[in-house]
Amino acid sequence: MRLGMIGLGRMGANLVRRLVADGHECVVYDHNADAVAALAAETNCTGVSSPAELAANLPTPRVVWVMVPAGSITTGVIEELADTLAAGDIVIDGGNSYYRDDIKHAKLLADKGIRLLDCGTSGGVWGRERGYCLMIGGDRDAFDHAEPIFATIAPGVDAAPRTPGRDGEVSQAENGYLYCGPSGAGHFVKMVHNGIEYGMMASIAEGLNILHHANIGKADQQGDAETAPLSHPEFYQYDIDIPEVTEVWRRGSVIGSWLLDLTASALQKSPALEEFAGRVSDSGEGRWTVIAAIDEGVPAPVLTTALYARFASRHLFEFGAKVLSAMRKQFGGHDEKSA
Amino acid sequence: MRLGMIGLGRMGANLVRRLVADGHECVVYDHNADAVAALAAETNCTGVSSPAELAANLPTPRVVWVMVPAGSITTGVIEELADTLAAGDIVIDGGNSYYRDDIKHAKLLADKGIRLLDCGTSGGVWGRERGYCLMIGGDRDAFDHAEPIFATIAPGVDAAPRTPGRDGEVSQAENGYLYCGPSGAGHFVKMVHNGIEYGMMASIAEGLNILHHANIGKADQQGDAETAPLSHPEFYQYDIDIPEVTEVWRRGSVIGSWLLDLTASALQKSPALEEFAGRVSDSGEGRWTVIAAIDEGVPAPVLTTALYARFASRHLFEFGAKVLSAMRKQFGGHDEKSA
Amino acid sequence: MRLGMIGLGRMGANLVRRLVADGHECVVYDHNADAVAALAAETNCTGVSSPAELAANLPTPRVVWVMVPAGSITTGVIEELADTLAAGDIVIDGGNSYYRDDIKHAKLLADKGIRLLDCGTSGGVWGRERGYCLMIGGDRDAFDHAEPIFATIAPGVDAAPRTPGRDGEVSQAENGYLYCGPSGAGHFVKMVHNGIEYGMMASIAEGLNILHHANIGKADQQGDAETAPLSHPEFYQYDIDIPEVTEVWRRGSVIGSWLLDLTASALQKSPALEEFAGRVSDSGEGRWTVIAAIDEGVPAPVLTTALYARFASRHLFEFGAKVLSAMRKQFGGHDEKSA
Amino acid sequence: MRLGMIGLGRMGANLVRRLVADGHECVVYDHNADAVAALAAETNCTGVSSPAELAANLPTPRVVWVMVPAGSITTGVIEELADTLAAGDIVIDGGNSYYRDDIKHAKLLADKGIRLLDCGTSGGVWGRERGYCLMIGGDRDAFDHAEPIFATIAPGVDAAPRTPGRDGEVSQAENGYLYCGPSGAGHFVKMVHNGIEYGMMASIAEGLNILHHANIGKADQQGDAETAPLSHPEFYQYDIDIPEVTEVWRRGSVIGSWLLDLTASALQKSPALEEFAGRVSDSGEGRWTVIAAIDEGVPAPVLTTALYARFASRHLFEFGAKVLSAMRKQFGGHDEKSA
């Protein structure tokens, strides 16, 4: 299939490489002309210098994949495509858009007869090689038309053993892509995926932090009125080799996972992770997942406290903590202890 | 009543002052002879230089209140009293002992026929004036004998309006002290009291922290791949006068409380609390409350996350946070952002 | 001052009673004519049968207090007032509106030159007698004009001892009302107040639940592969008299609070609370507080888990819990245990 | 190697089968003689009728693997082996013992010169086929002697691709077993492993529960004073096919994991999981992990709230929830809503 790609950052470029390698033809555009030239040279695809030129180089109904930062940049590209493309054409937003924006964007495009697919894309820097997990929402006919693209980008069934009981024809989901429902459904499922990711990451991090402090009984246990002394120092005398522990968990354990593989890999290179300060970013989906839980009225304490731990790692509870120390000073005369 | 007091720190000395002021006679001892001399001079009570001398100055059955740091120091005093006192005597542990230690201490003393009362004492530096809230466990007869002491130390019924429906004789609890059950029951109830205290403190602190950041929409909202931008900066344009807010909440609101009074007082003196760094100590009861919840198999997420926020304020999740940043680097190529 | 009141439910009617008792004149309207007639008869205020009639009975600039359910009903009343009132008039929304709606409503009214004050009102069914705590946002001049109304409705300085250090002129906040900032600021502060309320309520509830189960060691401790046995049943042998505990905590303790007073009152009437099933409602502000924390990027684990406990009490994690049991069955062959 | 196995439940029997299949010789004992006979017949290993007979059939230094329920049963077997075995012999506790018990058991055996290895064993019902992940603590020489057993039971390096950078000799950990440190270290690491497992399971369950309720906007949105209405029903109109979503996430996504594989498998068989009631058990390690975090003074909100969700699923917050409803009734006159 011949398709357009707008946005040639790491993700967009890797998608093009994966598509071209599987026989698709790509017409590529980025506001940075150097990125266009570099990728065109490398992959033998067609570089263009504007969305209009991109449209002119595609057969109808055109299929244009947009891979630019979520938020106002994506909205700008969508608006430009609304003016550039024609009725029947298909736009795929493969970025990390908020699913509520998909609903708005779909309406905006529908006014011109253009169809939007929202496509949550998971796989990070490894996706070019492993394939990307794709969660897709929007117009069903548009999905059917573009399905060969998704089939190429996804990992394919061989990426994992088939689930017991699934032994007939290979389904979409088994190939690594799934039509999830009307506009926004793809990014909604991707959003929840990332919420789960936050929780799983925090689970591993909290566990390793407990192992990291398993030798606390060896420290001086000088109790005072301000600090609870450790009741049983004899139970916390372990110097655990955390990189080796993450490695041993990779085989045969219940918590085997790709995130654990990556953790083992990071610790193999840098056992104490000194190159990190521990200021953990978040990039939207975790927050939106919590807001969805709140709106639905369902509890999500694990996903939420995982998110809050990131906020706290960036010292965003500092004023609240000062309030706590101030109260302790007030009722108990306790001075704050230094480190 | 004539009683002995061992431990003349702030709490012990204030208890003596309150007791003497109400007509009780105190025989006082501390390992620091200066503390004994100072208090004896001030309150017209009898200072002594050893537990044995203390015992010699008390009528039988002797009543000895122990007000020393919990843990090994309390255990040492209890062991010494086991050798010094006689069958029928009564020891009151008014400190912050773990209720499990009460059970051990009670057995140790019971071998000599001595009775232990465990007495959780709440009120902090304000108790001398306001009276202390007392939660008592142990031998019921011993409690009955010592009740006049508790009645003096407690605030008395006039400290709060009577609860609707309680219009007959004033109960123990209405006077501010309560026999809670067998050995350990007093400190168990006090422990849970402190667990609740942690949760209430954190509730106020989290709320004020949200108010503190209510002007975040005025900051530069430069989103990037590493940070979620604020979707609606127009909703976060408030510069809230937090000291005034805590003051207004003191009258007529649902969250009126002594902790709020103290918060308003602290903020009145120091609106930005610059004198605090936000490293919040904890002193045992909060931890024990969580362990009790775990042992009982009942959920206590509010009390527990309140405790964890204190741990995190002391940077004890740092290694875990590094693990999170390392994972993000691994799967997404994300570098950690500086502050 | 002569003002209009729209909405004569429990809150609106009590506000009128409190205003009339302090010498204000009220013109009252409700879509339920009986409510108008009843209140007019009782309080000697003027009942009217339409917003237009209400407007006709007020001096300019008119002051109209709106006390109707938040959401679409409030919006409807605001829209009607935009058509009924004149430039310079003042509308006070005293209900539980989302502060974001205030911003919209203020713009809508500003187009006609009408000024909106948003007023968070705390005090519940007790406010008529105790006075209400008022948090106000919007146009500053409008606030100054309407201040006598707020002064009457608020509890006044005598409702609590003055905070140490506040010994000069009595401030707004000390009288129980506070101008918090531009449109939405009042309901924003009230929203956070309710968020704190959720956390404080949950703190008490979790603590009492731990006390309720303090006798779990008396139960049969039959461990099996599916349930963790209690390691130390001897530490959980207490039958705590929870109503008496809540009473004793009311005097001299650190957790003394109005919510504790109410808890003691409820337990005094009904020690086991059999009349409740434990399905706890929530009414918006708790959710909005969490969303504010998320938007601001600050941690609020206590307020959030308090909210989630309410969701869970209404069985809204059931599908998730089934997923957990299904996983346990998969990896460990564990069958789900019945109650 | 020739070793003894005590305890022929599902785990013990499968270990024997795996050992015999790899050329080891097993002498097997269980208090249930039928279990001994059945396994001896099946695997061509030696069945015996007492620990003494087991000892008599092993070369010195004897190696005896104990695979019985943790707690008093394990302690009983250890005590019997202390009387049966001789100095230099090795006992391996492969069950789910609390690591603190290992420390006690090791001392008890050391008095007779017998060495204890504690071995955390993960893999559940799949371990016979996949191999078990083994985390081992105790005497280092004893570990070296018994290593061939661990090497057989573990999955081996081929069970997962090698971590980048690990390209020399295959380490213990890469083979799926690890010596973690002195007595208790094995079960300590296994305990934390299970704590992480709880967190990862809850992450998936919470996410799927959010997907399950993604169509809540289709329900009647009748707001009332007791329930927050959904602000934006148009954003919650999705009927998500959850079994297919779990399947698509298995390939290429960041949250790929064995637990997700099992979830997909469970949902493939039973999309609505009707056979479960959602009463989720816990079996000790999750609780102990939280207690370790508390003792160490490090935050573990994700692992802890995961545990609490299980407690809540068994209705163990009911009294607390009644307290909440009672407070709402007190301050707001709110009646509890029925389902």
Side-chain angles (χ1 to χ4, degrees):
Chain A
M1 181 173 279
R2 186 172 175 90
L3 77 153
M5 175 69 65
I6 296 183
L8 306 177
R10 189 168 48 198
M11 286 286 286
N14 279 341
L15 287 172
V16 168
R17 292 182 186 108
R18 195 166 165 94
L19 285 160
V20 168
D22 198 39
H24 296 281
E25 298 169 37
C26 291
V27 184
V28 302
Y29 169 71
D30 192 286
H31 65 90
N32 175 350
D34 291 346
V36 176
L39 189 67
E42 175 194 336
T43 59
N44 199 20
C45 62
T46 308
V48 295
S49 59
S50 73
E53 191 182 348
L54 183 124
N57 276 275
L58 292 172
T60 57
R62 296 176 188 86
V63 178
V64 180
W65 188 294
V66 178
M67 204 70 194
V68 300
S72 56
I73 298 179
T74 292
T75 298
V77 171
I78 297 281
E79 287 170 348
E80 186 162 14
L81 289 175
D83 292 336
T84 309
L85 300 181
D89 289 348
I90 297 168
V91 175
I92 303 171
D93 177 3
N96 281 322
S97 292
Y98 195 11
Y99 77 96
R100 301 182 180 194
D101 288 339
D102 296 327
I103 296 174
K104 279 182 256 176
H105 294 161
K107 283 183 188 148
L108 188 154
L109 291 169
D111 288 345
K112 307 291 180 82
I114 305 167
R115 297 169 291 173
L116 177 68
L117 294 173
D118 54 283
C119 177
T121 308
S122 179
V125 295
W126 301 76
R128 185 188 170 187
E129 174 192 335
R130 298 203 319 159
Y132 299 88
C133 177
L134 304 177
M135 297 144 268
I136 303 136
D139 185 271
R140 177 77 209 205
D141 287 339
F143 168 80
D144 292 339
H145 182 78
E147 187 167 354
I149 297 172
F150 300 126
T152 287
I153 295 173
V157 67
D158 293 338
R162 295 190 76 180
T163 293
R166 289 187 179 264
D167 37 27
E169 199 183 347
V170 172
S171 70
Q172 279 178 28
E174 289 183 280
N175 275 316
Y177 63 96
L178 182 69
Y179 176 77
C180 298
S183 268
H187 279 134
F188 190 95
V189 172
K190 171 60 159 52
M191 170 189 82
V192 172
H193 165 279
N194 282 36
I196 294 173
E197 174 190 307
Y198 279 45
M200 292 177 72
M201 289 172 70
S203 300
I204 294 171
E206 288 185 3
L208 297 187
N209 197 49
I210 293 170
L211 291 180
H212 183 73
H213 290 268
N215 62 1
I216 197 172
K218 294 182 173 180
D220 184 26
Q221 295 300 321
Q222 190 145 12
D224 56 41
E226 297 311 291
T227 314
L230 183 56
S231 318
H232 292 288
E234 72 274 20
F235 292 143
Y236 298 95
Q237 299 285 334
Y238 303 118
D239 295 302
I240 304 292
D241 185 336
I242 294 175
E244 291 303 302
V245 167
T246 54
E247 185 64 37
V248 80
W249 286 344
R250 295 184 61 230
R251 293 177 180 84
S253 94
V254 173
I255 63 173
S257 55
W258 193 51
L259 284 165
L260 182 65
D261 292 348
L262 297 177
T263 306
S265 184
L267 289 165
Q268 200 275 335
K269 287 183 205 123
S270 171
L273 302 173
E274 302 95 343
E275 69 272 35
F276 297 100
R279 298 178 59 87
V280 191
S281 293
D282 73 286
S283 54
E285 289 89 351
R287 299 182 182 202
W288 302 331
T289 301
V290 173
I291 290 173
I294 300 288
D295 277 352
E296 294 181 4
V298 301
V302 161
L303 307 190
T304 307
T305 55
L307 177 66
Y308 286 153
R310 295 192 182 192
F311 294 168
S313 80
R314 306 197 309 258
H315 308 305
L316 292 162
F317 187 58
E318 190 176 284
F319 181 75
K322 289 181 177 188
V323 170
L324 292 174
S325 283
M327 281 192 235
R328 297 188 80 249
K329 175 77 175 170
Q330 283 282 322
F331 68 69
H334 306 300
D335 285 315
E336 215 180 44
K337 288 186 67 178
S338 54
Chain B
M1 180 174 277
R2 185 173 176 91
L3 77 153
M5 174 69 66
I6 296 182
L8 305 178
R10 188 167 48 200
M11 286 287 285
N14 279 341
L15 287 173
V16 168
R17 292 184 186 106
R18 195 166 165 93
L19 285 160
V20 168
D22 198 39
H24 296 281
E25 298 168 37
C26 292
V27 184
V28 303
Y29 169 71
D30 192 286
H31 65 90
N32 175 348
D34 291 346
V36 175
L39 189 68
E42 175 195 334
T43 59
N44 199 20
C45 62
T46 308
V48 296
S49 60
S50 73
E53 191 183 346
L54 183 125
N57 275 274
L58 291 173
T60 56
R62 296 175 188 86
V63 178
V64 180
W65 188 295
V66 178
M67 205 70 196
V68 300
S72 56
I73 297 178
T74 292
T75 298
V77 171
I78 297 281
E79 287 169 348
E80 187 162 11
L81 289 175
D83 292 337
T84 308
L85 300 181
D89 289 349
I90 297 168
V91 175
I92 302 171
D93 177 4
N96 281 322
S97 292
Y98 196 10
Y99 76 97
R100 301 182 180 194
D101 288 339
D102 296 327
I103 296 174
K104 279 184 256 174
H105 294 161
K107 281 184 190 146
L108 188 154
L109 291 169
D111 288 344
K112 307 291 179 82
I114 304 167
R115 297 169 290 173
L116 178 67
L117 295 173
D118 54 282
C119 178
T121 308
S122 180
V125 294
W126 302 75
R128 184 189 169 186
E129 174 192 334
R130 296 205 320 159
Y132 299 88
C133 177
L134 303 178
M135 297 143 268
I136 303 137
D139 185 89
R140 177 77 210 206
D141 288 338
F143 168 78
D144 291 339
H145 183 79
E147 187 166 352
I149 296 172
F150 300 126
T152 288
I153 295 174
V157 67
D158 293 337
R162 296 190 77 180
T163 293
R166 288 188 179 261
D167 38 25
E169 200 183 346
V170 172
S171 71
Q172 278 179 29
E174 290 183 280
N175 275 315
Y177 63 94
L178 182 68
Y179 176 78
C180 299
S183 268
H187 279 135
F188 190 94
V189 172
K190 171 60 160 53
M191 169 189 82
V192 172
H193 163 279
N194 282 36
I196 293 173
E197 174 191 306
Y198 279 45
M200 291 177 73
M201 289 172 70
S203 300
I204 295 171
E206 289 185 3
L208 298 187
N209 196 50
I210 293 170
L211 292 180
H212 183 73
H213 289 268
N215 62 1
I216 197 171
K218 295 182 173 180
D220 184 26
Q221 295 301 321
Q222 188 145 15
D224 57 41
E226 297 311 291
T227 313
L230 184 57
S231 318
H232 292 288
E234 72 274 20
F235 293 143
Y236 298 94
Q237 299 284 336
Y238 303 118
D239 295 303
I240 305 291
D241 185 336
I242 294 176
E244 290 304 302
V245 166
T246 55
E247 185 64 37
V248 80
W249 286 344
R250 294 185 63 230
R251 292 178 180 84
S253 94
V254 173
I255 63 174
S257 55
W258 193 52
L259 284 164
L260 181 65
D261 292 347
L262 297 177
T263 307
S265 184
L267 288 165
Q268 200 275 335
K269 287 185 205 121
S270 171
L273 301 174
E274 302 95 343
E275 70 271 36
F276 297 100
R279 299 179 59 86
V280 191
S281 293
D282 72 286
S283 55
E285 290 89 351
R287 299 182 181 202
W288 302 332
T289 300
V290 174
I291 290 173
I294 300 287
D295 277 352
E296 294 180 5
V298 300
V302 161
L303 307 190
T304 308
T305 55
L307 178 66
Y308 286 154
R310 295 191 181 192
F311 294 168
S313 80
R314 305 197 310 257
H315 309 304
L316 291 162
F317 188 57
E318 188 176 285
F319 181 74
K322 289 180 177 189
V323 170
L324 291 173
S325 283
M327 281 192 234
R328 298 188 81 248
K329 175 77 176 170
Q330 284 282 322
F331 68 70
H334 306 299
D335 284 316
E336 214 180 47
K337 288 186 67 176
S338 54
Chain C
M1 181 175 279
R2 185 171 177 91
L3 78 152
M5 174 69 65
I6 296 182
L8 305 177
R10 189 167 47 200
M11 286 287 284
N14 280 340
L15 288 173
V16 169
R17 291 184 186 107
R18 194 166 166 94
L19 285 161
V20 168
D22 198 39
H24 296 280
E25 298 168 36
C26 291
V27 184
V28 303
Y29 169 71
D30 193 286
H31 64 90
N32 175 349
D34 291 346
V36 175
L39 189 66
E42 175 194 335
T43 59
N44 199 21
C45 62
T46 308
V48 296
S49 60
S50 73
E53 191 184 346
L54 183 123
N57 276 273
L58 291 173
T60 56
R62 298 176 187 86
V63 178
V64 180
W65 187 295
V66 178
M67 205 71 196
V68 300
S72 55
I73 297 179
T74 291
T75 298
V77 172
I78 297 281
E79 287 169 349
E80 187 163 12
L81 289 175
D83 292 336
T84 309
L85 300 181
D89 289 348
I90 298 168
V91 175
I92 304 171
D93 177 3
N96 281 321
S97 292
Y98 195 11
Y99 77 97
R100 300 181 181 196
D101 288 338
D102 297 326
I103 296 175
K104 278 183 256 174
H105 294 162
K107 282 184 188 146
L108 188 154
L109 290 170
D111 287 345
K112 307 291 179 83
I114 305 168
R115 297 168 289 173
L116 177 68
L117 295 173
D118 53 283
C119 176
T121 308
S122 180
V125 294
W126 301 76
R128 184 188 169 187
E129 174 192 335
R130 297 204 318 160
Y132 300 87
C133 177
L134 304 177
M135 297 143 268
I136 303 136
D139 185 271
R140 176 76 208 206
D141 287 339
F143 168 79
D144 291 339
H145 182 79
E147 187 167 353
I149 297 172
F150 300 126
T152 288
I153 295 174
V157 66
D158 292 338
R162 296 190 76 179
T163 293
R166 287 186 180 264
D167 38 25
E169 199 183 346
V170 172
S171 70
Q172 278 178 27
E174 289 182 281
N175 274 316
Y177 62 95
L178 182 68
Y179 176 77
C180 298
S183 269
H187 278 135
F188 190 95
V189 172
K190 171 60 160 53
M191 170 189 82
V192 172
H193 164 280
N194 282 35
I196 294 173
E197 174 191 306
Y198 279 45
M200 292 176 72
M201 288 173 70
S203 299
I204 294 171
E206 289 186 2
L208 298 187
N209 196 49
I210 293 170
L211 292 180
H212 183 73
H213 289 268
N215 62 1
I216 197 171
K218 295 182 172 179
D220 184 27
Q221 296 300 321
Q222 189 145 15
D224 56 42
E226 297 312 291
T227 313
L230 183 58
S231 318
H232 292 288
E234 71 274 20
F235 293 144
Y236 298 94
Q237 299 284 335
Y238 303 118
D239 295 302
I240 304 291
D241 185 337
I242 294 176
E244 291 303 303
V245 166
T246 54
E247 185 63 37
V248 80
W249 286 344
R250 294 184 62 230
R251 293 178 180 82
S253 95
V254 172
I255 63 173
S257 55
W258 193 52
L259 285 164
L260 182 65
D261 292 348
L262 297 177
T263 307
S265 184
L267 289 165
Q268 200 275 334
K269 288 183 203 123
S270 171
L273 302 174
E274 302 96 343
E275 69 272 36
F276 297 101
R279 298 178 60 86
V280 191
S281 293
D282 73 286
S283 54
E285 290 88 352
R287 299 182 181 202
W288 301 331
T289 301
V290 173
I291 290 173
I294 299 288
D295 277 352
E296 294 180 5
V298 301
V302 160
L303 306 190
T304 308
T305 55
L307 178 66
Y308 286 154
R310 295 191 181 192
F311 294 168
S313 80
R314 306 198 308 257
H315 309 305
L316 291 161
F317 187 58
E318 189 177 284
F319 181 75
K322 290 180 178 190
V323 169
L324 292 174
S325 283
M327 281 192 234
R328 297 188 80 249
K329 174 78 175 168
Q330 283 282 322
F331 68 70
H334 306 299
D335 285 315
E336 215 181 45
K337 288 185 67 177
S338 55
Chain D
M1 180 174 278
R2 186 172 176 90
L3 77 152
M5 175 68 66
I6 295 182
L8 304 178
R10 188 167 49 199
M11 286 287 285
N14 279 341
L15 288 173
V16 168
R17 291 183 185 107
R18 194 167 166 94
L19 285 161
V20 168
D22 198 39
H24 297 281
E25 298 169 36
C26 292
V27 184
V28 304
Y29 169 72
D30 192 287
H31 65 90
N32 174 350
D34 291 346
V36 175
L39 189 68
E42 174 195 335
T43 59
N44 200 20
C45 63
T46 308
V48 296
S49 59
S50 72
E53 191 182 346
L54 183 124
N57 275 274
L58 291 172
T60 56
R62 297 176 188 86
V63 177
V64 180
W65 188 295
V66 178
M67 205 71 194
V68 300
S72 55
I73 298 179
T74 292
T75 298
V77 171
I78 297 280
E79 286 170 349
E80 186 163 13
L81 289 175
D83 292 336
T84 309
L85 300 181
D89 289 349
I90 297 167
V91 175
I92 303 170
D93 177 4
N96 281 322
S97 293
Y98 195 11
Y99 77 96
R100 300 182 180 194
D101 288 339
D102 296 326
I103 295 175
K104 280 183 255 175
H105 294 162
K107 282 184 190 147
L108 187 155
L109 291 169
D111 288 345
K112 307 292 178 84
I114 305 167
R115 298 168 289 173
L116 177 68
L117 295 173
D118 54 282
C119 178
T121 308
S122 179
V125 295
W126 301 76
R128 184 187 170 187
E129 174 192 335
R130 297 204 320 159
Y132 299 88
C133 178
L134 304 177
M135 297 143 267
I136 302 136
D139 185 271
R140 177 77 208 204
D141 287 339
F143 168 79
D144 292 339
H145 183 78
E147 186 166 355
I149 296 171
F150 299 125
T152 288
I153 295 173
V157 67
D158 294 337
R162 295 190 77 180
T163 293
R166 288 186 179 263
D167 38 25
E169 198 183 349
V170 172
S171 70
Q172 279 179 28
E174 289 183 281
N175 275 315
Y177 63 94
L178 182 68
Y179 176 80
C180 299
S183 269
H187 278 135
F188 189 95
V189 172
K190 171 61 161 51
M191 171 188 81
V192 172
H193 165 279
N194 282 35
I196 293 172
E197 175 191 307
Y198 279 45
M200 292 176 72
M201 289 172 70
S203 300
I204 295 171
E206 288 186 3
L208 298 187
N209 197 49
I210 293 170
L211 292 179
H212 183 72
H213 290 268
N215 61 1
I216 197 171
K218 294 183 174 179
D220 184 26
Q221 295 301 320
Q222 189 145 15
D224 56 41
E226 298 311 290
T227 313
L230 183 57
S231 318
H232 292 288
E234 71 274 21
F235 293 144
Y236 298 94
Q237 299 284 335
Y238 303 119
D239 295 303
I240 305 291
D241 185 337
I242 294 175
E244 290 303 302
V245 166
T246 55
E247 185 63 36
V248 81
W249 286 344
R250 294 185 62 230
R251 292 177 180 84
S253 94
V254 173
I255 63 173
S257 56
W258 194 51
L259 284 164
L260 182 64
D261 292 348
L262 297 177
T263 306
S265 184
L267 288 166
Q268 200 275 333
K269 288 185 204 121
S270 171
L273 301 174
E274 302 95 344
E275 69 272 36
F276 297 100
R279 298 179 59 86
V280 191
S281 293
D282 74 287
S283 55
E285 289 89 351
R287 298 181 183 203
W288 302 332
T289 300
V290 174
I291 290 173
I294 300 287
D295 277 352
E296 293 180 4
V298 301
V302 161
L303 307 190
T304 308
T305 55
L307 178 66
Y308 286 153
R310 296 192 181 192
F311 294 168
S313 80
R314 307 198 308 258
H315 309 305
L316 291 161
F317 187 57
E318 189 177 285
F319 181 75
K322 290 179 176 189
V323 170
L324 292 173
S325 283
M327 281 192 235
R328 297 188 82 248
K329 174 78 176 170
Q330 283 282 322
F331 67 69
H334 306 299
D335 285 315
E336 216 181 43
K337 287 185 69 178
S338 54

